[in-house]
Amino acid sequence: MTTLAERRKELLDSMMKDAVYEGAVAVLTKYGLQGTTMDRVAAASGMAKGSLYNCFRSKQELLEFVHERVVAPLREAIDEVVDGSLGAAEKLTSITRMWREYLVQHQAVFEFLINDQAAKQRLMATEQTARATGVNQVARIIRQGIQEGVFRPVEATAVAEMLINAAIGMVEQEFASGKPRPVDMAVEMLMSVFLYGLVVTERHTP
């Protein structure tokens, strides 16, 4: 049984990590990874530098914490859709919309993660793991669609990789140009190709 003291410690730890996350995002998005220091993050988080080092021994650990903190809720929400009762086509549309809406809500941190080359280099292994998780989630939906008879037989993992890469590539181009597409437009563009292809046929808009 968790004691009162343990619950208080968990609450304080959670509050401290919330503060560190907000402080780290503020510093990273303002100065980039190269200009980010533990001193600046500690100040932005409202804590002593020593307290910050008690939780994060290096800037690398701090960067990985920020990445996980922003990615985890989306990963979990997509898992719920994948495990849910919707049809495969609805699931693909739902998670694509979820991804784009989440991107809008957390645009500053995602823009930093995508555009900051130093951060991309340091997070290469972490990003590969996150992308592999996304590919597995989408591949499960594609296999479901094949079983339902609504998708033609394809190599599910390969097609999932194409969809993930297309979605990320679209976002990278938008951030580079400074012209983000509205959520509805982005979802329609992706789904119109991956659900219906480029050949003109009668279809319903997802």
Coordinates of all heavy atoms in Angstrom, one line a residue, residues 58-127:
S58 N 22.5 15.1 -17.8 CA 23.1 15.7 -19.0 C 22.0 16.3 -19.9 O 20.8 16.0 -19.7 CB 23.9 14.7 -19.8 OG 23.0 13.7 -20.4
K59 N 22.5 17.1 -20.8 CA 21.5 17.7 -21.8 C 20.9 16.6 -22.6 O 19.8 16.7 -23.1 CB 22.3 18.7 -22.6 CG 21.4 19.6 -23.4 CD 22.1 20.9 -23.9 CE 23.2 20.7 -24.9 NZ 23.7 22.0 -25.4
Q60 N 21.7 15.5 -22.9 CA 21.1 14.4 -23.7 C 19.9 13.8 -23.0 O 18.9 13.5 -23.6 CB 22.2 13.4 -23.9 CG 21.8 12.2 -24.7 CD 21.4 12.5 -26.1 OE1 22.0 13.4 -26.7 NE2 20.6 11.7 -26.7
E61 N 20.1 13.6 -21.7 CA 18.9 13.0 -20.9 C 17.7 13.9 -20.9 O 16.6 13.5 -21.0 CB 19.4 12.7 -19.5 CG 20.3 11.5 -19.4 CD 20.5 11.1 -17.9 OE1 19.9 11.7 -17.0 OE2 21.2 10.1 -17.7
L62 N 18.0 15.2 -20.8 CA 16.9 16.2 -20.8 C 16.2 16.2 -22.2 O 15.0 16.2 -22.2 CB 17.5 17.6 -20.5 CG 16.5 18.7 -20.4 CD1 15.7 18.5 -19.1 CD2 17.3 20.0 -20.2
L63 N 17.0 16.1 -23.3 CA 16.4 16.1 -24.6 C 15.6 14.9 -24.8 O 14.5 15.0 -25.4 CB 17.5 16.2 -25.6 CG 17.1 16.2 -27.1 CD1 16.3 17.4 -27.4 CD2 18.4 16.1 -28.0
E64 N 16.0 13.7 -24.4 CA 15.3 12.5 -24.5 C 14.0 12.5 -23.7 O 12.9 12.0 -24.1 CB 16.1 11.3 -24.1 CG 17.3 11.0 -25.1 CD 18.2 9.9 -24.6 OE1 18.1 9.5 -23.5 OE2 19.2 9.6 -25.4
F65 N 14.1 13.2 -22.5 CA 12.9 13.4 -21.7 C 11.8 14.2 -22.4 O 10.6 13.8 -22.4 CB 13.3 14.0 -20.3 CG 12.1 14.6 -19.6 CD1 11.2 13.8 -18.9 CD2 12.0 16.0 -19.5 CE1 10.2 14.4 -18.2 CE2 10.9 16.6 -18.8 CZ 10.0 15.7 -18.1
V66 N 12.2 15.3 -23.0 CA 11.3 16.2 -23.7 C 10.7 15.4 -24.9 O 9.4 15.5 -25.1 CB 12.0 17.4 -24.2 CG1 11.1 18.2 -25.2 CG2 12.4 18.3 -23.1
H67 N 11.5 14.7 -25.6 CA 11.0 13.9 -26.7 C 9.9 12.9 -26.3 O 8.8 12.8 -26.8 CB 12.1 13.2 -27.4 CG 11.7 12.4 -28.6 ND1 11.2 11.1 -28.5 CD2 11.6 12.7 -30.0 CE1 10.9 10.6 -29.7 NE2 11.2 11.6 -30.6
E68 N 10.2 12.1 -25.2 CA 9.3 11.1 -24.8 C 8.0 11.7 -24.2 O 6.9 11.2 -24.4 CB 10.0 10.2 -23.7 CG 9.1 9.2 -23.0 CD 8.6 8.1 -24.0 OE1 9.1 8.0 -25.1 OE2 7.6 7.5 -23.6
R69 N 8.2 12.9 -23.5 CA 7.1 13.5 -22.9 C 6.1 14.0 -23.9 O 4.8 13.9 -23.7 CB 7.6 14.7 -22.1 CG 6.5 15.4 -21.2 CD 6.0 14.5 -20.1 NE 5.1 15.3 -19.2 CZ 5.4 15.7 -18.0 NH1 6.6 15.5 -17.5 NH2 4.5 16.4 -17.3
V70 N 6.5 14.5 -25.1 CA 5.6 15.0 -26.1 C 5.1 13.8 -27.0 O 3.9 13.9 -27.5 CB 6.3 16.1 -26.9 CG1 7.3 15.5 -27.9 CG2 5.2 16.9 -27.7
V71 N 5.8 12.8 -27.2 CA 5.4 11.7 -28.1 C 4.5 10.7 -27.4 O 3.6 10.1 -28.0 CB 6.7 11.0 -28.6 CG1 6.3 9.7 -29.4 CG2 7.4 11.9 -29.6
A72 N 4.8 10.4 -26.1 CA 4.1 9.3 -25.4 C 2.5 9.4 -25.4 O 1.8 8.5 -25.7 CB 4.6 9.2 -24.0
P73 N 2.0 10.6 -25.1 CA 0.5 10.7 -25.2 C -0.1 10.4 -26.5 O -1.2 9.7 -26.6 CB 0.2 12.2 -24.8 CG 1.4 12.6 -24.0 CD 2.6 11.9 -24.7
L74 N 0.6 10.8 -27.6 CA 0.1 10.5 -28.9 C 0.2 9.0 -29.2 O -0.8 8.4 -29.8 CB 0.9 11.3 -30.0 CG 0.5 11.1 -31.4 CD1 -1.0 11.5 -31.7 CD2 1.4 11.8 -32.4
R75 N 1.3 8.4 -28.9 CA 1.5 7.0 -29.1 C 0.4 6.2 -28.3 O -0.2 5.2 -28.9 CB 2.8 6.6 -28.5 CG 3.2 5.1 -28.7 CD 4.6 4.8 -28.3 NE 4.8 5.1 -26.9 CZ 5.7 5.9 -26.4 NH1 6.6 6.4 -27.2 NH2 5.8 6.1 -25.1
E76 N 0.1 6.6 -27.1 CA -1.0 5.9 -26.3 C -2.3 6.1 -26.9 O -3.2 5.1 -26.9 CB -0.9 6.4 -24.9 CG 0.4 5.9 -24.2 CD 0.6 6.7 -22.9 OE1 -0.3 7.5 -22.5 OE2 1.7 6.5 -22.2
A77 N -2.6 7.3 -27.4 CA -3.9 7.6 -28.0 C -4.1 6.8 -29.3 O -5.2 6.2 -29.5 CB -4.1 9.1 -28.3
I78 N -3.1 6.6 -30.1 CA -3.2 5.9 -31.3 C -3.3 4.4 -31.0 O -4.1 3.7 -31.6 CB -1.9 6.1 -32.2 CG1 -1.9 7.5 -32.7 CG2 -1.8 5.1 -33.3 CD1 -0.7 7.9 -33.5
D79 N -2.7 3.9 -29.9 CA -2.9 2.5 -29.5 C -4.3 2.2 -29.2 O -4.8 1.1 -29.5 CB -2.0 2.2 -28.2 CG -0.6 1.7 -28.6 OD1 -0.4 1.2 -29.7 OD2 0.3 1.8 -27.7
E80 N -5.0 3.2 -28.6 CA -6.4 3.0 -28.2 C -7.3 2.9 -29.5 O -8.2 2.1 -29.5 CB -6.9 4.2 -27.4 CG -6.4 4.2 -26.0 CD -7.0 5.3 -25.1 OE1 -7.9 6.0 -25.6 OE2 -6.5 5.5 -24.0
V81 N -6.9 3.7 -30.5 CA -7.7 3.6 -31.8 C -7.4 2.2 -32.4 O -8.3 1.5 -32.9 CB -7.3 4.7 -32.7 CG1 -7.9 4.5 -34.1 CG2 -7.7 6.1 -32.1
V82 N -6.1 1.8 -32.5 CA -5.7 0.6 -33.1 C -6.4 -0.6 -32.4 O -6.9 -1.5 -33.1 CB -4.2 0.4 -33.0 CG1 -3.8 -1.0 -33.6 CG2 -3.5 1.4 -33.9
D83 N -6.6 -0.6 -31.1 CA -7.2 -1.7 -30.4 C -8.7 -1.5 -30.4 O -9.4 -2.4 -29.8 CB -6.7 -1.7 -29.0 CG -5.2 -2.1 -28.9 OD1 -4.7 -2.8 -29.8 OD2 -4.5 -1.7 -27.9
G84 N -9.3 -0.5 -30.9 CA -10.7 -0.2 -30.8 C -11.5 -1.0 -31.9 O -11.0 -1.8 -32.6
S85 N -12.8 -0.6 -32.0 CA -13.7 -1.4 -32.8 C -14.0 -0.8 -34.2 O -14.8 -1.3 -34.9 CB -15.0 -1.5 -32.0 OG -15.6 -0.3 -31.7
L86 N -13.4 0.3 -34.5 CA -13.6 0.9 -35.8 C -13.1 0.0 -36.9 O -12.2 -0.8 -36.8 CB -12.9 2.3 -35.9 CG -13.4 3.4 -35.0 CD1 -12.5 4.6 -35.2 CD2 -14.8 3.8 -35.3
G87 N -13.6 0.3 -38.1 CA -13.1 -0.4 -39.3 C -11.7 0.1 -39.7 O -11.4 1.2 -39.2
A88 N -11.0 -0.6 -40.5 CA -9.6 -0.2 -40.8 C -9.5 1.1 -41.4 O -8.7 1.9 -41.1 CB -9.0 -1.3 -41.6
A89 N -10.4 1.4 -42.4 CA -10.3 2.7 -43.1 C -10.6 3.8 -42.2 O -9.9 4.9 -42.2 CB -11.3 2.7 -44.3
E90 N -11.6 3.7 -41.3 CA -11.9 4.7 -40.3 C -10.7 4.9 -39.3 O -10.4 6.0 -38.9 CB -13.1 4.3 -39.5 CG -14.4 4.3 -40.3 CD -15.6 3.8 -39.5 OE1 -15.7 2.5 -39.3 OE2 -16.4 4.6 -39.0
K91 N -10.1 3.8 -39.0 CA -8.9 3.9 -38.1 C -7.8 4.7 -38.7 O -7.2 5.5 -38.0 CB -8.4 2.5 -37.7 CG -9.3 1.8 -36.7 CD -8.7 0.4 -36.3 CE -9.5 -0.3 -35.2 NZ -8.9 -1.6 -34.8
L92 N -7.5 4.4 -39.9 CA -6.4 5.1 -40.6 C -6.7 6.6 -40.7 O -5.8 7.5 -40.4 CB -6.2 4.6 -42.0 CG -5.2 3.4 -42.2 CD1 -5.0 3.1 -43.7 CD2 -3.9 3.6 -41.5
T93 N -7.9 7.0 -41.0 CA -8.3 8.4 -41.1 C -8.3 9.0 -39.7 O -7.8 10.1 -39.5 CB -9.7 8.5 -41.7 OG1 -9.8 7.9 -42.9 CG2 -10.1 9.9 -41.8
S94 N -8.7 8.2 -38.7 CA -8.8 8.8 -37.3 C -7.4 9.1 -36.8 O -7.1 10.1 -36.2 CB -9.5 7.8 -36.4 OG -9.4 8.2 -35.1
I95 N -6.4 8.1 -37.0 CA -5.1 8.4 -36.4 C -4.3 9.5 -37.2 O -3.5 10.2 -36.6 CB -4.2 7.1 -36.3 CG1 -3.9 6.5 -37.7 CG2 -4.9 6.0 -35.5 CD1 -2.9 5.4 -37.7
T96 N -4.6 9.6 -38.5 CA -4.0 10.6 -39.3 C -4.5 12.0 -38.8 O -3.7 12.9 -38.6 CB -4.3 10.5 -40.8 OG1 -3.9 9.2 -41.2 CG2 -3.7 11.6 -41.6
R97 N -5.8 12.1 -38.6 CA -6.3 13.4 -38.0 C -5.8 13.6 -36.6 O -5.4 14.8 -36.3 CB -7.9 13.3 -38.0 CG -8.5 14.5 -37.4 CD -10.0 14.5 -37.6 NE -10.4 14.5 -39.0 CZ -10.4 15.6 -39.7 NH1 -10.1 16.8 -39.2 NH2 -10.8 15.6 -41.0
M98 N -5.7 12.6 -35.8 CA -5.2 12.7 -34.5 C -3.8 13.3 -34.5 O -3.4 14.2 -33.7 CB -5.2 11.4 -33.8 CG -4.9 11.4 -32.3 SD -5.0 9.7 -31.6 CE -6.7 9.3 -31.9
W99 N -3.0 12.7 -35.4 CA -1.6 13.2 -35.5 C -1.5 14.6 -35.9 O -0.7 15.4 -35.3 CB -0.9 12.3 -36.5 CG 0.3 12.8 -37.3 CD1 0.3 13.0 -38.6 CD2 1.5 13.3 -36.8 NE1 1.6 13.5 -39.0 CE2 2.3 13.7 -37.9 CE3 2.1 13.4 -35.5 CZ2 3.6 14.2 -37.8 CZ3 3.4 13.9 -35.4 CH2 4.1 14.3 -36.5
R100 N -2.3 15.0 -36.9 CA -2.2 16.4 -37.4 C -2.7 17.4 -36.3 O -2.2 18.5 -36.1 CB -3.0 16.6 -38.7 CG -2.4 15.8 -39.8 CD -1.1 16.3 -40.3 NE -1.1 17.8 -40.6 CZ -0.2 18.3 -41.5 NH1 0.6 17.6 -42.1 NH2 -0.2 19.6 -41.7
E101 N -3.8 17.0 -35.6 CA -4.3 17.9 -34.6 C -3.3 18.0 -33.4 O -3.2 19.1 -32.8 CB -5.7 17.4 -34.1 CG -6.8 17.5 -35.1 CD -8.1 16.9 -34.7 OE1 -8.1 16.1 -33.7 OE2 -9.1 17.3 -35.3
Y102 N -2.7 16.9 -33.1 CA -1.7 16.9 -32.0 C -0.5 17.8 -32.4 O 0.1 18.5 -31.6 CB -1.3 15.5 -31.7 CG -0.5 15.4 -30.4 CD1 -1.1 15.3 -29.2 CD2 0.9 15.2 -30.4 CE1 -0.4 15.1 -28.0 CE2 1.6 15.1 -29.2 CZ 0.9 15.0 -28.0 OH 1.6 14.9 -26.8
L103 N -0.2 17.7 -33.6 CA 0.9 18.5 -34.2 C 0.6 20.0 -34.0 O 1.5 20.8 -33.6 CB 1.2 18.2 -35.6 CG 2.4 18.8 -36.3 CD1 3.6 18.0 -35.9 CD2 2.3 18.7 -37.8
V104 N -0.6 20.4 -34.3 CA -1.0 21.8 -34.1 C -0.9 22.3 -32.7 O -0.4 23.3 -32.3 CB -2.4 22.0 -34.7 CG1 -2.9 23.4 -34.3 CG2 -2.4 21.8 -36.2
Q105 N -1.3 21.4 -31.8 CA -1.3 21.7 -30.4 C 0.1 21.9 -29.8 O 0.3 22.6 -28.9 CB -2.1 20.6 -29.6 CG -3.6 20.5 -29.9 CD -4.2 19.3 -29.3 OE1 -3.6 18.5 -28.6 NE2 -5.4 19.0 -29.7
H106 N 1.0 21.1 -30.4 CA 2.4 21.1 -29.9 C 3.4 21.5 -31.0 O 4.5 21.0 -31.0 CB 2.7 19.7 -29.3 CG 1.8 19.3 -28.2 ND1 2.0 19.5 -26.9 CD2 0.7 18.5 -28.3 CE1 1.0 19.0 -26.2 NE2 0.2 18.4 -27.0
Q107 N 3.0 22.5 -31.8 CA 3.8 22.8 -32.9 C 5.2 23.3 -32.6 O 6.1 22.9 -33.3 CB 3.1 23.9 -33.8 CG 3.8 24.3 -35.0 CD 3.1 25.2 -35.9 OE1 1.8 25.3 -35.9 NE2 3.8 26.0 -36.8
A108 N 5.3 24.1 -31.6 CA 6.7 24.6 -31.3 C 7.7 23.5 -31.0 O 8.8 23.6 -31.6 CB 6.6 25.6 -30.1
V109 N 7.3 22.6 -30.2 CA 8.3 21.5 -29.8 C 8.5 20.6 -31.0 O 9.6 20.1 -31.2 CB 7.8 20.7 -28.6 CG1 6.5 20.0 -28.8 CG2 8.9 19.8 -28.1
F110 N 7.5 20.3 -31.8 CA 7.7 19.4 -33.0 C 8.5 20.1 -34.0 O 9.4 19.5 -34.7 CB 6.4 18.9 -33.5 CG 5.8 17.7 -32.8 CD1 4.6 17.9 -32.1 CD2 6.4 16.5 -33.0 CE1 4.1 16.8 -31.4 CE2 5.9 15.4 -32.3 CZ 4.7 15.5 -31.5
E111 N 8.3 21.4 -34.2 CA 9.1 22.2 -35.1 C 10.6 22.1 -34.7 O 11.5 22.0 -35.6 CB 8.6 23.6 -35.2 CG 9.1 24.3 -36.4 CD 8.2 25.5 -36.8 OE1 7.2 25.8 -36.1 OE2 8.6 26.2 -37.7
F112 N 10.8 22.3 -33.4 CA 12.2 22.2 -32.9 C 12.8 20.8 -33.2 O 13.9 20.7 -33.7 CB 12.2 22.5 -31.4 CG 13.5 21.9 -30.8 CD1 14.7 22.5 -30.9 CD2 13.4 20.8 -30.0 CE1 15.8 22.0 -30.3 CE2 14.5 20.2 -29.4 CZ 15.7 20.9 -29.5
L113 N 12.0 19.7 -32.9 CA 12.5 18.4 -33.0 C 12.8 18.0 -34.5 O 13.7 17.3 -34.8 CB 11.5 17.4 -32.5 CG 11.4 17.4 -30.9 CD1 10.2 16.5 -30.5 CD2 12.6 16.9 -30.3
I114 N 12.0 18.6 -35.4 CA 12.2 18.3 -36.8 C 13.3 19.2 -37.5 O 14.0 18.7 -38.3 CB 10.8 18.5 -37.6 CG1 9.9 17.3 -37.2 CG2 11.0 18.6 -39.1 CD1 8.5 17.5 -37.7
N115 N 13.3 20.5 -37.1 CA 14.2 21.4 -37.8 C 15.6 21.5 -37.1 O 16.6 21.9 -37.8 CB 13.6 22.8 -37.8 CG 12.5 22.9 -38.8 OD1 12.3 22.0 -39.7 ND2 11.6 23.9 -38.6
D116 N 15.8 21.2 -35.9 CA 17.1 21.4 -35.2 C 18.0 20.2 -35.5 O 17.7 19.1 -35.0 CB 16.9 21.6 -33.7 CG 18.1 22.0 -33.0 OD1 19.1 21.2 -33.0 OD2 18.2 23.1 -32.4
Q117 N 19.0 20.4 -36.4 CA 19.8 19.3 -36.8 C 20.6 18.7 -35.7 O 20.8 17.5 -35.7 CB 20.8 19.8 -37.9 CG 20.0 20.3 -39.2 CD 19.2 19.2 -39.8 OE1 19.6 18.1 -39.9 NE2 17.9 19.5 -40.1
A118 N 21.1 19.5 -34.7 CA 21.8 18.9 -33.6 C 20.9 18.0 -32.8 O 21.3 16.9 -32.4 CB 22.4 20.0 -32.7
A119 N 19.7 18.4 -32.6 CA 18.7 17.6 -31.8 C 18.4 16.3 -32.6 O 18.3 15.2 -32.1 CB 17.4 18.3 -31.6
K120 N 18.2 16.4 -33.9 CA 17.9 15.2 -34.8 C 19.0 14.2 -34.7 O 18.8 13.0 -34.7 CB 17.7 15.7 -36.2 CG 16.4 16.4 -36.4 CD 16.1 16.7 -37.9 CE 15.8 15.5 -38.7 NZ 15.3 15.9 -40.1
Q121 N 20.3 14.7 -34.7 CA 21.4 13.8 -34.6 C 21.5 13.1 -33.3 O 21.7 11.9 -33.3 CB 22.7 14.6 -34.8 CG 24.0 13.8 -34.9 CD 24.0 12.9 -36.1 OE1 23.5 13.3 -37.2 NE2 24.7 11.8 -36.1
R122 N 21.2 13.8 -32.2 CA 21.3 13.2 -30.9 C 20.1 12.2 -30.6 O 20.2 11.3 -29.8 CB 21.3 14.3 -29.8 CG 22.6 15.1 -29.7 CD 22.7 15.7 -28.4 NE 23.9 16.5 -28.2 CZ 24.4 16.8 -27.0 NH1 23.8 16.4 -25.9 NH2 25.5 17.6 -27.0
L123 N 19.0 12.5 -31.3 CA 17.8 11.7 -31.1 C 17.6 10.6 -32.2 O 16.5 10.0 -32.3 CB 16.6 12.6 -31.0 CG 16.4 13.4 -29.8 CD1 15.3 14.4 -30.0 CD2 16.2 12.6 -28.6
M124 N 18.6 10.4 -33.0 CA 18.5 9.5 -34.1 C 17.9 8.1 -33.7 O 17.0 7.6 -34.3 CB 19.8 9.3 -34.9 CG 19.7 8.5 -36.2 SD 21.2 8.5 -37.1 CE 21.4 10.3 -37.4
A125 N 18.6 7.5 -32.7 CA 18.1 6.1 -32.3 C 16.7 6.2 -31.7 O 15.9 5.3 -31.9 CB 19.1 5.6 -31.3
T126 N 16.5 7.2 -30.9 CA 15.2 7.4 -30.3 C 14.1 7.6 -31.3 O 13.0 7.0 -31.2 CB 15.2 8.6 -29.3 OG1 16.2 8.4 -28.3 CG2 13.8 8.8 -28.6
E127 N 14.4 8.4 -32.3 CA 13.4 8.6 -33.4 C 13.2 7.3 -34.2 O 12.0 7.1 -34.6 CB 13.9 9.7 -34.3 CG 13.7 11.1 -33.8 CD 12.3 11.6 -33.9 OE1 11.5 10.9 -34.5 OE2 12.0 12.6 -33.2

